[in-house]
Tab-separated table of all heavy atoms in Angstrom:
chain	number	residue	atom	x	y	z
A	302	LEU	N	-24.970	-164.943	45.571
A	302	LEU	CA	-25.044	-165.168	44.126
A	302	LEU	C	-26.499	-165.150	43.635
A	302	LEU	O	-26.789	-164.684	42.525
A	302	LEU	CB	-24.394	-166.501	43.764
A	302	LEU	CG	-22.865	-166.554	43.864
A	302	LEU	CD1	-22.384	-167.991	43.720
A	302	LEU	CD2	-22.229	-165.672	42.797
A	303	ASP	N	-27.397	-165.626	44.469
A	303	ASP	CA	-28.804	-165.690	44.073
A	303	ASP	C	-29.429	-164.305	43.970
A	303	ASP	O	-30.506	-164.148	43.377
A	303	ASP	CB	-29.583	-166.546	45.075
A	303	ASP	CG	-30.932	-166.964	44.532
A	303	ASP	OD1	-30.973	-167.575	43.442
A	303	ASP	OD2	-31.957	-166.673	45.200
A	304	GLU	N	-28.756	-163.300	44.555
A	304	GLU	CA	-29.265	-161.935	44.451
A	304	GLU	C	-28.996	-161.335	43.065
A	304	GLU	O	-29.524	-160.274	42.733
A	304	GLU	CB	-28.632	-161.054	45.531
A	304	GLU	CG	-29.097	-161.410	46.954
A	304	GLU	CD	-28.463	-160.505	47.989
A	304	GLU	OE1	-27.372	-159.928	47.705
A	304	GLU	OE2	-29.025	-160.363	49.087
A	305	GLY	N	-28.142	-161.986	42.277
A	305	GLY	CA	-27.872	-161.510	40.918
A	305	GLY	C	-29.089	-161.663	40.018
A	305	GLY	O	-30.029	-162.399	40.327
A	306	ASN	N	-29.049	-160.995	38.882
A	306	ASN	CA	-30.209	-160.982	37.971
A	306	ASN	C	-30.003	-161.825	36.717
A	306	ASN	O	-30.831	-161.790	35.810
A	306	ASN	CB	-30.524	-159.534	37.553
A	306	ASN	CG	-30.952	-158.688	38.726
A	306	ASN	OD1	-31.698	-159.167	39.574
A	306	ASN	ND2	-30.482	-157.451	38.782
A	307	THR	N	-28.912	-162.568	36.665
A	307	THR	CA	-28.632	-163.332	35.449
A	307	THR	C	-28.863	-164.826	35.661
A	307	THR	O	-28.835	-165.331	36.785
A	307	THR	CB	-27.172	-163.121	35.002
A	307	THR	OG1	-26.293	-163.718	35.973
A	307	THR	CG2	-26.855	-161.633	34.876
A	308	GLU	N	-29.069	-165.502	34.537
A	308	GLU	CA	-29.230	-166.950	34.582
A	308	GLU	C	-27.973	-167.616	35.134
A	308	GLU	O	-28.052	-168.577	35.893
A	308	GLU	CB	-29.528	-167.462	33.163
A	308	GLU	CG	-29.758	-168.952	33.071
A	308	GLU	CD	-30.118	-169.372	31.655
A	308	GLU	OE1	-30.508	-168.503	30.847
A	308	GLU	OE2	-29.993	-170.566	31.357
A	309	LYS	N	-26.818	-167.065	34.757
A	309	LYS	CA	-25.556	-167.640	35.219
A	309	LYS	C	-25.408	-167.527	36.741
A	309	LYS	O	-25.014	-168.500	37.419
A	309	LYS	CB	-24.384	-166.935	34.545
A	309	LYS	CG	-23.022	-167.485	34.964
A	309	LYS	CD	-21.902	-166.741	34.260
A	309	LYS	CE	-20.536	-167.273	34.725
A	309	LYS	NZ	-19.417	-166.544	34.060
A	310	SER	N	-25.703	-166.364	37.287
A	310	SER	CA	-25.548	-166.180	38.733
A	310	SER	C	-26.510	-167.074	39.501
A	310	SER	O	-26.157	-167.625	40.554
A	310	SER	CB	-25.757	-164.714	39.117
A	310	SER	OG	-27.098	-164.303	38.913
A	311	HIS	N	-27.738	-167.251	38.967
A	311	HIS	CA	-28.693	-168.133	39.639
A	311	HIS	C	-28.229	-169.582	39.578
A	311	HIS	O	-28.382	-170.341	40.549
A	311	HIS	CB	-30.078	-167.978	39.021
A	311	HIS	CG	-30.715	-166.655	39.302
A	311	HIS	ND1	-31.808	-166.173	38.609
A	311	HIS	CD2	-30.403	-165.696	40.204
A	311	HIS	CE1	-32.141	-164.985	39.075
A	311	HIS	NE2	-31.304	-164.672	40.044
A	312	GLY	N	-27.657	-169.973	38.452
A	312	GLY	CA	-27.136	-171.330	38.338
A	312	GLY	C	-25.975	-171.565	39.292
A	312	GLY	O	-25.865	-172.623	39.930
A	313	MET	N	-25.093	-170.569	39.417
A	313	MET	CA	-23.968	-170.683	40.355
A	313	MET	C	-24.458	-170.704	41.794
A	313	MET	O	-23.899	-171.407	42.645
A	313	MET	CB	-23.000	-169.521	40.139
A	313	MET	CG	-22.267	-169.555	38.806
A	313	MET	SD	-21.332	-168.032	38.487
A	313	MET	CE	-20.131	-168.082	39.811
A	314	ALA	N	-25.540	-169.951	42.061
A	314	ALA	CA	-26.106	-169.937	43.405
A	314	ALA	C	-26.607	-171.313	43.796
A	314	ALA	O	-26.358	-171.789	44.914
A	314	ALA	CB	-27.245	-168.918	43.480
A	315	VAL	N	-27.303	-171.970	42.882
A	315	VAL	CA	-27.823	-173.302	43.168
A	315	VAL	C	-26.676	-174.283	43.393
A	315	VAL	O	-26.695	-175.105	44.318
A	315	VAL	CB	-28.732	-173.793	42.021
A	315	VAL	CG1	-29.057	-175.269	42.186
A	315	VAL	CG2	-30.011	-172.972	41.988
A	316	ALA	N	-25.634	-174.180	42.556
A	316	ALA	CA	-24.472	-175.066	42.724
A	316	ALA	C	-23.802	-174.846	44.076
A	316	ALA	O	-23.379	-175.800	44.741
A	316	ALA	CB	-23.478	-174.834	41.587
A	317	ALA	N	-23.706	-173.587	44.501
A	317	ALA	CA	-23.100	-173.282	45.800
A	317	ALA	C	-23.949	-173.833	46.945
A	317	ALA	O	-23.430	-174.405	47.909
A	317	ALA	CB	-22.920	-171.774	45.954
A	318	LEU	N	-25.278	-173.661	46.829
A	318	LEU	CA	-26.163	-174.162	47.884
A	318	LEU	C	-26.160	-175.687	47.931
A	318	LEU	O	-26.229	-176.288	49.011
A	318	LEU	CB	-27.578	-173.631	47.669
A	318	LEU	CG	-27.746	-172.124	47.926
A	318	LEU	CD1	-29.108	-171.648	47.432
A	318	LEU	CD2	-27.572	-171.809	49.413
A	319	GLN	N	-26.069	-176.317	46.785
A	319	GLN	CA	-25.978	-177.775	46.774
A	319	GLN	C	-24.665	-178.235	47.415
A	319	GLN	O	-24.633	-179.240	48.125
A	319	GLN	CB	-26.093	-178.296	45.340
A	319	GLN	CG	-27.508	-178.191	44.777
A	319	GLN	CD	-27.598	-178.658	43.335
A	319	GLN	OE1	-26.678	-178.422	42.540
A	319	GLN	NE2	-28.696	-179.311	42.990
A	320	ALA	N	-23.593	-177.481	47.166
A	320	ALA	CA	-22.326	-177.800	47.827
A	320	ALA	C	-22.454	-177.634	49.336
A	320	ALA	O	-21.947	-178.456	50.109
A	320	ALA	CB	-21.212	-176.893	47.285
A	321	ALA	N	-23.139	-176.564	49.767
A	321	ALA	CA	-23.350	-176.343	51.198
A	321	ALA	C	-24.094	-177.520	51.817
A	321	ALA	O	-23.738	-177.999	52.899
A	321	ALA	CB	-24.120	-175.044	51.423
A	322	ASP	N	-25.134	-177.982	51.125
A	322	ASP	CA	-25.925	-179.107	51.627
A	322	ASP	C	-25.067	-180.380	51.704
A	322	ASP	O	-25.130	-181.143	52.677
A	322	ASP	CB	-27.135	-179.325	50.725
A	322	ASP	CG	-28.170	-180.246	51.358
A	322	ASP	OD1	-28.524	-180.015	52.528
A	322	ASP	OD2	-28.603	-181.195	50.689
A	323	LYS	N	-24.242	-180.578	50.678
A	323	LYS	CA	-23.370	-181.763	50.661
A	323	LYS	C	-22.364	-181.710	51.806
A	323	LYS	O	-22.165	-182.697	52.529
A	323	LYS	CB	-22.625	-181.837	49.332
A	323	LYS	CG	-21.715	-183.066	49.195
A	323	LYS	CD	-20.765	-182.952	48.011
A	323	LYS	CE	-19.631	-181.984	48.323
A	323	LYS	NZ	-18.577	-181.968	47.282
A	324	TYR	N	-21.730	-180.554	51.997
A	324	TYR	CA	-20.748	-180.430	53.078
A	324	TYR	C	-21.414	-180.524	54.448
A	324	TYR	O	-20.815	-181.045	55.402
A	324	TYR	CB	-19.983	-179.112	52.955
A	324	TYR	CG	-18.940	-179.131	51.869
A	324	TYR	CD1	-18.946	-178.173	50.845
A	324	TYR	CD2	-17.936	-180.101	51.849
A	324	TYR	CE1	-17.986	-178.180	49.844
A	324	TYR	CE2	-16.966	-180.112	50.847
A	324	TYR	CZ	-17.007	-179.156	49.854
A	324	TYR	OH	-16.056	-179.180	48.867
A	325	PHE	N	-22.649	-180.021	54.544
A	325	PHE	CA	-23.340	-180.110	55.829
A	325	PHE	C	-23.610	-181.567	56.200
A	325	PHE	O	-23.399	-181.972	57.346
A	325	PHE	CB	-24.655	-179.321	55.780
A	325	PHE	CG	-25.407	-179.347	57.070
A	325	PHE	CD1	-24.908	-178.714	58.193
A	325	PHE	CD2	-26.611	-180.040	57.169
A	325	PHE	CE1	-25.600	-178.753	59.403
A	325	PHE	CE2	-27.299	-180.080	58.373
A	325	PHE	CZ	-26.799	-179.439	59.485
A	326	GLU	N	-24.050	-182.359	55.236
A	326	GLU	CA	-24.274	-183.789	55.506
A	326	GLU	C	-22.954	-184.487	55.831
A	326	GLU	O	-22.885	-185.340	56.724
A	326	GLU	CB	-24.941	-184.453	54.298
A	326	GLU	CG	-26.371	-184.003	54.067
A	326	GLU	CD	-27.271	-184.284	55.269
A	326	GLU	OE1	-27.135	-185.400	55.844
A	326	GLU	OE2	-28.072	-183.411	55.626
A	327	GLU	N	-21.909	-184.096	55.113
A	327	GLU	CA	-20.585	-184.679	55.382
A	327	GLU	C	-20.106	-184.291	56.775
A	327	GLU	O	-19.477	-185.102	57.481
A	327	GLU	CB	-19.587	-184.200	54.327
A	327	GLU	CG	-18.209	-184.841	54.448
A	327	GLU	CD	-17.238	-184.335	53.395
A	327	GLU	OE1	-17.689	-183.803	52.357
A	327	GLU	OE2	-16.017	-184.467	53.629
A	328	SER	N	-20.380	-183.073	57.202
A	328	SER	CA	-19.938	-182.625	58.526
A	328	SER	C	-20.645	-183.401	59.630
A	328	SER	O	-20.046	-183.675	60.677
A	328	SER	CB	-20.188	-181.115	58.695
A	328	SER	OG	-21.556	-180.824	58.925
A	329	LYS	N	-21.897	-183.757	59.414
A	329	LYS	CA	-22.607	-184.552	60.420
A	329	LYS	C	-21.969	-185.921	60.577
A	329	LYS	O	-21.828	-186.430	61.694
A	329	LYS	CB	-24.087	-184.673	60.058
A	329	LYS	CG	-24.866	-183.371	60.201
A	329	LYS	CD	-26.366	-183.573	60.161
A	329	LYS	CE	-26.853	-183.993	58.808
A	329	LYS	NZ	-28.342	-184.070	58.745
A	330	ARG	N	-21.551	-186.517	59.463
A	330	ARG	CA	-20.869	-187.814	59.535
A	330	ARG	C	-19.496	-187.659	60.194
A	330	ARG	O	-19.086	-188.499	61.016
A	330	ARG	CB	-20.723	-188.414	58.133
A	330	ARG	CG	-22.043	-188.803	57.486
A	330	ARG	CD	-21.835	-189.618	56.222
A	330	ARG	NE	-21.172	-188.859	55.162
A	330	ARG	CZ	-21.818	-188.121	54.267
A	330	ARG	NH1	-23.154	-188.040	54.304
A	330	ARG	NH2	-21.150	-187.478	53.328
A	331	ALA	N	-18.786	-186.584	59.856
A	331	ALA	CA	-17.471	-186.355	60.461
A	331	ALA	C	-17.584	-186.121	61.962
A	331	ALA	O	-16.724	-186.559	62.742
A	331	ALA	CB	-16.795	-185.148	59.796
A	332	CYS	N	-18.651	-185.459	62.366
A	332	CYS	CA	-18.900	-185.226	63.787
A	332	CYS	C	-19.127	-186.550	64.519
A	332	CYS	O	-18.611	-186.762	65.623
A	332	CYS	CB	-20.104	-184.302	63.950
A	332	CYS	SG	-20.600	-184.051	65.653
A	333	GLU	N	-19.886	-187.437	63.909
A	333	GLU	CA	-20.149	-188.743	64.521
A	333	GLU	C	-18.860	-189.544	64.675
A	333	GLU	O	-18.638	-190.192	65.703
A	333	GLU	CB	-21.156	-189.525	63.679
A	333	GLU	CG	-22.564	-188.942	63.709
A	333	GLU	CD	-23.502	-189.644	62.738
A	333	GLU	OE1	-23.041	-190.577	62.033
A	333	GLU	OE2	-24.685	-189.262	62.667
A	334	VAL	N	-18.002	-189.480	63.658
A	334	VAL	CA	-16.718	-190.199	63.725
A	334	VAL	C	-15.856	-189.610	64.838
A	334	VAL	O	-15.222	-190.345	65.610
A	334	VAL	CB	-15.984	-190.120	62.375
A	334	VAL	CG1	-14.576	-190.720	62.490
A	334	VAL	CG2	-16.775	-190.846	61.297
A	335	PHE	N	-15.829	-188.286	64.957
A	335	PHE	CA	-15.059	-187.632	66.012
A	335	PHE	C	-15.546	-188.074	67.387
A	335	PHE	O	-14.751	-188.449	68.259
A	335	PHE	CB	-15.162	-186.114	65.880
A	335	PHE	CG	-14.726	-185.360	67.111
A	335	PHE	CD1	-13.382	-185.229	67.410
A	335	PHE	CD2	-15.666	-184.794	67.964
A	335	PHE	CE1	-12.967	-184.543	68.554
A	335	PHE	CE2	-15.267	-184.108	69.101
A	335	PHE	CZ	-13.920	-183.984	69.398
A	336	ASN	N	-16.846	-188.037	67.601
A	336	ASN	CA	-17.387	-188.386	68.919
A	336	ASN	C	-17.185	-189.856	69.261
A	336	ASN	O	-17.052	-190.214	70.438
A	336	ASN	CB	-18.876	-188.027	68.991
A	336	ASN	CG	-19.109	-186.544	69.149
A	336	ASN	OD1	-18.343	-185.850	69.802
A	336	ASN	ND2	-20.165	-186.031	68.523
A	337	ALA	N	-17.129	-190.718	68.233
A	337	ALA	CA	-16.964	-192.157	68.472
A	337	ALA	C	-15.517	-192.535	68.740
A	337	ALA	O	-15.246	-193.618	69.265
A	337	ALA	CB	-17.495	-192.948	67.283
A	338	ALA	N	-14.571	-191.649	68.381
A	338	ALA	CA	-13.157	-191.929	68.620
A	338	ALA	C	-12.848	-191.769	70.106
A	338	ALA	O	-13.411	-190.906	70.786
A	338	ALA	CB	-12.285	-190.984	67.792
A	339	HIS	N	-11.953	-192.597	70.615
A	339	HIS	CA	-11.598	-192.550	72.041
A	339	HIS	C	-10.605	-191.419	72.308
A	339	HIS	O	-9.688	-191.195	71.516
A	339	HIS	CB	-11.018	-193.889	72.476
A	339	HIS	CG	-12.052	-194.970	72.561
A	339	HIS	ND1	-12.847	-195.154	73.667
A	339	HIS	CD2	-12.430	-195.915	71.673
A	339	HIS	CE1	-13.666	-196.181	73.454
A	339	HIS	NE2	-13.436	-196.657	72.241
A	340	PRO	N	-10.823	-190.706	73.428
A	340	PRO	CA	-11.904	-190.859	74.391
A	340	PRO	C	-13.239	-190.378	73.814
A	340	PRO	O	-13.272	-189.399	73.057
A	340	PRO	CB	-11.470	-189.989	75.563
A	340	PRO	CG	-10.546	-188.976	74.968
A	340	PRO	CD	-9.851	-189.659	73.840
A	341	LEU	N	-14.299	-191.084	74.172
A	341	LEU	CA	-15.622	-190.776	73.631
A	341	LEU	C	-16.053	-189.361	74.018
A	341	LEU	O	-15.641	-188.831	75.048
A	341	LEU	CB	-16.645	-191.781	74.161
A	341	LEU	CG	-16.382	-193.257	73.848
A	341	LEU	CD1	-17.421	-194.132	74.550
A	341	LEU	CD2	-16.388	-193.511	72.350
A	342	SER	N	-16.891	-188.757	73.203
A	342	SER	CA	-17.412	-187.424	73.489
A	342	SER	C	-18.806	-187.306	72.899
A	342	SER	O	-19.293	-188.220	72.229
A	342	SER	CB	-16.487	-186.344	72.893
A	342	SER	OG	-16.332	-186.534	71.494
A	343	ARG	N	-19.437	-186.197	73.149
A	343	ARG	CA	-20.765	-185.953	72.555
A	343	ARG	C	-20.904	-184.456	72.293
A	343	ARG	O	-20.208	-183.630	72.870
A	343	ARG	CB	-21.876	-186.431	73.487
A	343	ARG	CG	-21.907	-185.735	74.833
A	343	ARG	CD	-23.065	-186.202	75.704
A	343	ARG	NE	-23.017	-185.547	77.000
A	343	ARG	CZ	-22.417	-186.047	78.090
A	343	ARG	NH1	-21.823	-187.230	78.018
A	343	ARG	NH2	-22.406	-185.390	79.224
A	344	ASN	N	-21.842	-184.140	71.401
A	344	ASN	CA	-22.128	-182.734	71.116
A	344	ASN	C	-23.088	-182.174	72.153
A	344	ASN	O	-24.054	-182.845	72.531
A	344	ASN	CB	-22.779	-182.590	69.743
A	344	ASN	CG	-21.779	-182.720	68.628
A	344	ASN	OD1	-20.598	-182.898	68.863
A	344	ASN	ND2	-22.254	-182.648	67.400
A	345	PRO	N	-22.861	-180.939	72.604
A	345	PRO	CA	-23.899	-180.284	73.408
A	345	PRO	C	-25.104	-179.989	72.513
A	345	PRO	O	-24.999	-180.069	71.282
A	345	PRO	CB	-23.217	-178.999	73.867
A	345	PRO	CG	-22.162	-178.736	72.848
A	345	PRO	CD	-21.698	-180.083	72.381
A	346	PRO	N	-26.260	-179.657	73.078
A	346	PRO	CA	-27.420	-179.306	72.250
A	346	PRO	C	-27.070	-178.201	71.264
A	346	PRO	O	-26.311	-177.281	71.585
A	346	PRO	CB	-28.460	-178.821	73.276
A	346	PRO	CG	-28.063	-179.486	74.559
A	346	PRO	CD	-26.570	-179.592	74.526
A	347	LEU	N	-27.580	-178.307	70.050
A	347	LEU	CA	-27.269	-177.318	69.015
A	347	LEU	C	-27.723	-175.924	69.435
A	347	LEU	O	-28.803	-175.745	69.988
A	347	LEU	CB	-27.953	-177.700	67.702
A	347	LEU	CG	-27.230	-178.694	66.785
A	347	LEU	CD1	-28.061	-178.914	65.532
A	347	LEU	CD2	-25.834	-178.194	66.407
A	348	TRP	N	-26.875	-174.956	69.148
A	348	TRP	CA	-27.211	-173.553	69.418
A	348	TRP	C	-26.374	-172.709	68.454
A	348	TRP	O	-25.489	-173.187	67.770
A	348	TRP	CB	-26.890	-173.173	70.869
A	348	TRP	CG	-25.421	-173.208	71.174
A	348	TRP	CD1	-24.675	-174.305	71.496
A	348	TRP	CD2	-24.496	-172.104	71.137
A	348	TRP	NE1	-23.364	-173.965	71.664
A	348	TRP	CE2	-23.217	-172.622	71.462
A	348	TRP	CE3	-24.635	-170.738	70.860
A	348	TRP	CZ2	-22.092	-171.818	71.517
A	348	TRP	CZ3	-23.508	-169.939	70.913
A	348	TRP	CH2	-22.248	-170.487	71.255
A	349	GLY	N	-26.681	-171.436	68.388
A	349	GLY	CA	-25.859	-170.498	67.635
A	349	GLY	C	-25.764	-170.804	66.155
A	349	GLY	O	-26.752	-171.179	65.498
A	350	THR	N	-24.551	-170.692	65.610
A	350	THR	CA	-24.322	-170.794	64.179
A	350	THR	C	-24.857	-172.095	63.600
A	350	THR	O	-25.605	-172.097	62.604
A	350	THR	CB	-22.810	-170.698	63.875
A	350	THR	OG1	-22.310	-169.464	64.413
A	350	THR	CG2	-22.562	-170.742	62.377
A	351	MET	N	-24.480	-173.233	64.202
A	351	MET	CA	-24.835	-174.513	63.601
A	351	MET	C	-26.311	-174.858	63.788
A	351	MET	O	-26.883	-175.557	62.953
A	351	MET	CB	-23.936	-175.624	64.142
A	351	MET	CG	-22.488	-175.497	63.680
A	351	MET	SD	-22.293	-174.966	61.940
A	351	MET	CE	-23.091	-176.322	61.066
A	352	LYS	N	-26.925	-174.372	64.828
A	352	LYS	CA	-28.376	-174.590	64.955
A	352	LYS	C	-29.105	-173.860	63.827
A	352	LYS	O	-30.004	-174.413	63.178
A	352	LYS	CB	-28.893	-174.102	66.312
A	352	LYS	CG	-30.408	-174.277	66.475
A	352	LYS	CD	-30.863	-173.901	67.867
A	352	LYS	CE	-32.380	-173.938	67.973
A	352	LYS	NZ	-32.961	-175.239	67.617
A	353	TYR	N	-28.690	-172.619	63.582
A	353	TYR	CA	-29.303	-171.822	62.524
A	353	TYR	C	-29.081	-172.486	61.167
A	353	TYR	O	-30.022	-172.667	60.379
A	353	TYR	CB	-28.706	-170.416	62.540
A	353	TYR	CG	-29.179	-169.519	61.425
A	353	TYR	CD1	-30.382	-168.808	61.535
A	353	TYR	CD2	-28.423	-169.363	60.261
A	353	TYR	CE1	-30.818	-167.969	60.510
A	353	TYR	CE2	-28.854	-168.544	59.238
A	353	TYR	CZ	-30.051	-167.848	59.362
A	353	TYR	OH	-30.477	-167.037	58.346
A	354	LEU	N	-27.831	-172.871	60.887
A	354	LEU	CA	-27.522	-173.433	59.575
A	354	LEU	C	-28.125	-174.824	59.384
A	354	LEU	O	-28.469	-175.195	58.255
A	354	LEU	CB	-26.004	-173.494	59.380
A	354	LEU	CG	-25.302	-172.129	59.300
A	354	LEU	CD1	-23.813	-172.310	59.156
A	354	LEU	CD2	-25.857	-171.299	58.139
Side-chain angles (χ1 to χ4, degrees):
L302 288 170
D303 196 56
E304 291 181 337
N306 296 319
T307 67
E308 182 177 342
K309 180 180 178 181
S310 67
H311 291 165
M313 292 171 64
V315 169
L318 290 169
Q319 287 178 323
D322 194 49
K323 182 193 75 172
Y324 284 124
F325 181 68
E326 291 301 318
E327 185 181 340
S328 76
K329 290 194 291 185
R330 293 190 295 271
C332 175
E333 291 173 359
V334 173
F335 164 76
N336 284 325
H339 288 276
L341 301 175
S342 57
R343 61 178 178 267
N344 283 359
L347 275 181
W348 66 278
T350 303
M351 291 320 298
K352 179 175 174 57
Y353 176 84
L354 294 178

